[in-house]
Amino acid sequence: LVSMAGLGWDYQHMLMPVLVLAARPLAYLTRSAFLAFDRTMGEDYIRTAYSKGLSQRHTVLVHALRNVAIPVLTAVGVSLRFSLSSLPVVEFLFVWPGLGLRMLEGINARNTALVATLAAAIGLTFLLVNLLLDISYRFIDPRVREIQ
């Protein structure tokens, strides 16, 4: 039904690698979003909003989602870092040409300059992800915005 190796931009070549890369992060993201939403819906300010007569839709959209966004964004960051760190293994298993496969080939060939360069590139990607998460925290949570 699907091709197990090689690079192609059709669903037959993309299905298995995408499933492998997305299965664990999707499960982690779903679990953390459910727990954060469940915890938030039990808070006093949600009960207060209901007692003021606000609808469930308004209460969830205005009061709950903003407080759920921080743990969900943190889970997205952790999941993205996990996917990036498992990328060399996925590229090796599915014979995808990419940074991870080149890094593994450089390790086998003892090419120190190539391995160091690719490790630095992946490390900079991790730093960029963390920077974008920190910036998005400031837009979402007013408590973080006040800290200087």
Side-chain angles (χ1 to χ4, degrees):
L1 294 175
V2 294
S3 177
M4 294 301 287
L7 180 66
W9 293 105
D10 55 352
Y11 77 93
Q12 293 175 342
H13 287 93
M14 298 287 287
L15 182 66
M16 292 303 292
V18 167
L19 283 176
V20 169
L21 284 174
R24 183 199 174 271
L26 187 61
Y28 178 69
L29 184 62
T30 304
R31 183 177 141 253
S32 63
F34 174 77
L35 290 175
F37 194 73
D38 189 43
R39 190 177 325 123
T40 301
M41 292 306 286
E43 293 288 333
D44 290 338
Y45 60 89
I46 298 294
R47 285 195 295 267
T48 304
Y50 282 136
S51 67
K52 288 193 314 187
L54 296 177
S55 67
Q56 181 177 1
R57 180 175 184 223
H58 185 267
T59 303
V60 168
L61 289 177
V62 173
H63 297 288
L65 284 183
R66 184 168 247 186
N67 291 303
V68 170
I70 295 294
V72 169
L73 277 178
T74 303
V76 166
V78 169
S79 297
L80 190 60
R81 289 187 297 254
F82 175 80
S83 293
L84 284 173
S85 65
S86 62
L87 195 59
V89 176
V90 172
E91 288 178 357
F92 178 75
L93 289 177
F94 294 105
V95 194
W96 273 18
L99 290 177
L101 188 61
R102 296 292 167 248
M103 181 180 260
L104 291 175
E105 290 171 355
I107 291 170
N108 282 338
R110 292 186 166 87
N111 189 346
T112 311
L114 176 67
V115 173
T117 303
L118 292 177
I122 293 172
L124 285 173
T125 305
F126 284 137
L127 289 175
L128 183 64
V129 167
N130 286 337
L131 177 68
L132 290 175
L133 282 173
D134 286 342
I135 290 171
S136 64
Y137 288 157
R138 288 186 172 265
F139 285 115
I140 291 173
D141 194 359
R143 295 172 295 181
V144 178
R145 203 176 306 141
E146 294 172 2
I147 299 173
Q148 303 224 1

